[in-house]
Amino acid sequence: MSAELAPGRALDAVLHLMDRQVVDRDGRMVCKVDDVELTEHPDRTWEVTGLLAGPPALVPRFGGRLGRALEESWRRLGVEEGDRLVPWRIPLALVGELGSGVRVLAARDDLLQRQTDSPPAPGEVRRRLNDVLQLEARAPDGERLGRVLDVRLRAVRREPLQLLAEGLVIGRGRPGGYLGYDREPQQGPWLLNRLVRRIHRHSAYVPLHDTGPTDWEAQVVEIRGPLLPLDHP
Amino acid sequence: MKKFFSVALGILTAIGGFVDIGDLVTNAQVGARLGWSLGLVVMVGVLGICVFAEMSGRVAAVSHRATFDLVRERLGPRVGLLNLLGSMAVTLLTFIAEIGGVALAIELVVSVHYVLLVPLVAGLVWLILWKARFSLMENVLGLVGLSLIVFVVALWQLDPDWGHLGSQLVTVDKPSDETWPVWSYYAVALFGAALTPYEVFFFSSGGVEEHWQVEDLTTMRLNVFIGFPLGGLLSLAIAGCTAVVFGPLDASVDTLGQVGLPVAVALGKLGLAFAIIGFVAATLGAACETGLSTGYSIAQYFGWQWGKYVKPRDASRFHLTLIIVTLLAMAILVTGVDPILVTEVSVVFSAVALPLTYFPILVVANDPDYLGEHVNGRLANGLGMIYLVLIGVAATAAIPLMIWTRMGA
């Protein structure tokens, strides 16, 4: 399916972008979307600015002890390299089409550059989608609401592509979060759908403007508005 | 007319390519010990592979994504990696068994010990993977594999007690000299042999290799729903043949030569020649398919360029993977490990690994983001859910049964 990226279309970063195959303009395969680069602007808006690839992007996503051990092993296999733990990056402006795969507008030769080769503008902070997914959602009174499971994006421009973050999907982070059933009541098989939706019954949607400041050190995001029912983007 | 030929060719190669070393050995062993009393399991297994191959083929035709793309997208990188390791282990085991199978089949003719033939066979497999066009590899080996039809002719010539075989086929029962655990063990093994995970890795990746589009869905379905069941019929014929020849003797089947023996009994040398040609083609074809499947799975997990539709130099990591797995398979086989034993183990572990592959396929085949209007209908989902339960039972029971029955001893 080649989904039209018409301005105004919304998509969920984990469900529709993360782990997808990247192909070049000639249809050759390049890499996977191992992580997504999110840039935090000074006005606190979040924007997708690049796709990250390579072991330095993938390995931290394994999480916990395994993730740290694998990352350390990866570093040790090339301690001489200063950019060993810097992932490859494809600027979002090069992305032409988002469907079952991600098509970029360039040829794959020399396509991947280190993320540090193109530093962010002053005042802008780069995060990884995986860092956002580590955040715990808390109400202002400190009540735990769950974890951030996904980031809802909206395409605001097509050429070059611009994707702004619009809200957060939060929930308990139980198994089956990548399957998509929590956002699609009609997706079959019926029994599997009911089961996964039951497991994910606490999942909800919060627009970004209803969130408070994010404490990246403590990995907590404050939720100020009401939790909205989760639907298909 | 051209369309007709392409459909016919697809069906014929599906029949010829259906049987591999796992099917040959397991069906022959089961036939000798249990007759056709597990025929129902073969039929259930064949329907299962049809259901899931159709789903994965449909996903490949509509979204151009093969199975391991989906595994990582729908299970995440962590569970996806575990899945990759499990599936790779099983596929590699099958690959070893297939290469060993080719060597054993050639040994039947040239009387050179199979270990000496292994490097030659491995070299041949690698050469095919490196050089041959995808469609050529599929069509030639699939068509030559059709010579296994000699087992159907042999069964007919052996003139078995059809009433007895037929009643075994339709009832859930066992011969009185076998125990239910043994019956269950072989049921799981047959189920694993029929549904081997590499078949859908290969089928869906092959769909991407051959640039299937939505228009090709009908052809794909005809191949699956006619070709695979007819291939399953070959499995039944093999079991029937060994049932007739070995059943009354209380003998078991431990070598590839014994698998072909009933054909020699029924049809003489010429028949045996066909059987051996069939063994070579079927196992060589499956060796290529399993070898490719290991490369497909790893490349699809990490996002590398894969496939034989591009030149080897454009898919260098993929081809490097193929070289490494071929060398690895060769290294293991030259230790002198019995390929038949590897086969027996591989089908049981296939059964264990089944849910890893089939669950994500069922989920994505329902996802409108990938498939739009081509998502599963009620029939596919109903069957898919039934099979998910069956697969779960087989996967859970496989290892306990293997230990309990000491591999069916």
Side-chain angles (χ1 to χ4, degrees), chain A residues 37-92:
Chain A
E37 181 189 83
L38 286 164
T39 297
E40 195 176 1
H41 293 297
D43 61 355
R44 286 196 61 245
T45 55
W46 287 2
E47 180 179 357
V48 175
T49 44
L51 310 176
L52 303 177
L58 175 64
V59 163
R61 289 182 57 208
F62 288 109
R65 201 181 295 171
L66 176 70
R68 282 193 300 277
L70 286 177
E71 196 173 13
E72 173 57 19
S73 308
W74 176 253
R75 189 191 69 81
R76 211 175 289 157
L77 287 168
V79 284
E80 308 84 352
E81 298 167 17
D83 57 0
R84 186 73 180 166
L85 294 181
V86 181
W88 301 111
R89 173 177 187 268
I90 299 173
L92 192 75

Side-chain angles (χ1 to χ4, degrees), chain A residues 1 15-16 19-21 28-32 34 58 61-63 100-101 108 178-179 187-189 232, chain B residues 62-63 65 69 72-74 76-78 300-301 303-306 309-310 314 363 366 369-370 381 385:
Chain A
M1 276 274 96
L15 214 50
H16 300 118
D19 293 315
R20 297 287 169 125
Q21 180 71 46
R28 295 280 187 266
M29 293 161 196
V30 181
C31 59
K32 291 276 176 183
D34 287 326
L58 175 64
R61 289 182 57 208
F62 288 109
S100 63
R108 69 175 180 170
Y178 293 94
L179 299 177
Q187 183 179 330
H232 194 265
Chain B
V62 178
S63 75
R65 294 275 84 88
D69 283 330
R72 179 161 161 194
E73 284 161 26
R74 282 297 158 257
R78 197 184 165 110
Q300 284 161 13
Y301 180 87
W304 305 337
Q305 175 68 49
W306 51 270
Y309 67 98
V310 295
D314 285 333
V363 171
N366 278 287
D369 288 334
Y370 288 85
N381 272 340
M385 282 307 286

Side-chain angles (χ1 to χ4, degrees), chain A residues 12-231:
Chain A
D12 286 342
V14 172
L15 214 50
H16 300 118
L17 193 53
M18 198 83 128
D19 293 315
R20 297 287 169 125
Q21 180 71 46
V22 179
V23 293
D24 78 352
R25 63 160 192 224
D26 307 314
R28 295 280 187 266
M29 293 161 196
V30 181
C31 59
K32 291 276 176 183
V33 180
D34 287 326
D35 208 336
V36 175
E37 181 189 83
L38 286 164
T39 297
E40 195 176 1
H41 293 297
D43 61 355
R44 286 196 61 245
T45 55
W46 287 2
E47 180 179 357
V48 175
T49 44
L51 310 176
L52 303 177
L58 175 64
V59 163
R61 289 182 57 208
F62 288 109
R65 201 181 295 171
L66 176 70
R68 282 193 300 277
L70 286 177
E71 196 173 13
E72 173 57 19
S73 308
W74 176 253
R75 189 191 69 81
R76 211 175 289 157
L77 287 168
V79 284
E80 308 84 352
E81 298 167 17
D83 57 0
R84 186 73 180 166
L85 294 181
V86 181
W88 301 111
R89 173 177 187 268
I90 299 173
L92 192 75
L94 280 181
V95 173
E97 220 178 299
L98 277 184
S100 63
V102 178
R103 187 179 280 269
V104 295
L105 301 165
R108 69 175 180 170
D109 291 27
D110 304 322
L111 176 63
L112 297 177
Q113 303 287 330
R114 292 288 182 195
Q115 192 185 20
T116 41
D117 290 349
S118 46
E124 293 184 339
V125 184
R126 276 180 182 168
R127 311 273 176 202
R128 293 187 194 179
L129 178 58
N130 188 48
D131 296 332
V132 179
L133 300 181
Q134 307 307 316
L135 296 175
E136 192 186 334
R138 282 203 196 148
D141 62 4
E143 187 200 348
R144 290 165 184 230
L145 300 171
R147 266 180 45 204
V148 176
L149 300 182
D150 210 334
V151 177
R152 186 151 297 179
L153 309 171
R154 191 169 293 278
V156 292
R157 195 177 59 211
R158 191 178 154 74
E159 281 174 20
L161 179 61
Q162 193 180 15
L163 290 172
L164 289 183
E166 193 171 64
L168 303 175
V169 175
I170 61 171
R172 299 284 168 89
R174 291 174 178 168
Y178 293 94
L179 299 177
Y181 289 113
D182 50 356
R183 269 149 271 190
E184 190 66 82
Q186 300 305 325
Q187 183 179 330
W190 181 84
L191 196 62
L192 211 54
N193 186 306
R194 292 300 114 155
L195 188 71
V196 179
R197 284 180 70 80
R198 169 104 193 125
I199 295 173
H200 287 265
R201 63 190 177 279
H202 304 289
S203 296
Y205 177 72
V206 184
L208 214 54
H209 57 74
D210 280 346
T211 64
T214 306
D215 183 345
W216 292 97
E217 283 298 308
Q219 297 190 315
V220 173
V221 58
E222 195 182 294
I223 307 293
R224 290 175 172 166
L227 301 182
L228 305 177
L230 186 56
D231 58 356

Side-chain angles (χ1 to χ4, degrees), chain B residues 246-314:
Chain B
F246 292 95
L249 303 174
D250 267 339
S252 66
V253 173
D254 305 306
T255 67
L256 197 57
Q258 288 167 337
V259 178
L261 188 64
V263 178
V265 170
L267 302 168
K269 268 192 217 167
L270 196 62
L272 186 62
F274 269 99
I276 292 175
I277 291 171
F279 290 163
V280 173
T283 49
L284 188 58
C288 294
E289 294 181 0
T290 44
L292 282 172
S293 295
T294 58
Y296 289 148
S297 314
I298 295 180
Q300 284 161 13
Y301 180 87
F302 289 107
W304 305 337
Q305 175 68 49
W306 51 270
K308 291 179 55 55
Y309 67 98
V310 295
K311 292 196 186 79
R313 67 164 180 221
D314 285 333

Side-chain angles (χ1 to χ4, degrees), chain B residues 76-144:
Chain B
R78 197 184 165 110
V79 181
L81 185 70
L82 280 176
N83 193 323
L84 179 71
L85 295 175
S87 308
M88 279 293 301
V90 171
T91 308
L92 190 63
L93 213 55
T94 317
F95 183 50
I96 296 167
E98 307 289 355
I99 291 186
V102 182
L104 287 178
I106 298 175
E107 185 188 15
L108 292 177
V109 182
V110 299
S111 300
V112 173
H113 195 276
Y114 79 91
V115 168
L116 293 174
L117 297 168
V118 161
L120 292 177
V121 174
L124 178 65
V125 168
W126 172 76
L127 201 66
I128 295 174
L129 299 184
W130 181 266
K131 278 280 177 200
R133 275 212 332 274
F134 184 84
S135 54
L136 189 76
M137 173 192 96
E138 270 295 272
N139 295 340
V140 171
L141 293 173
L143 288 178
V144 179

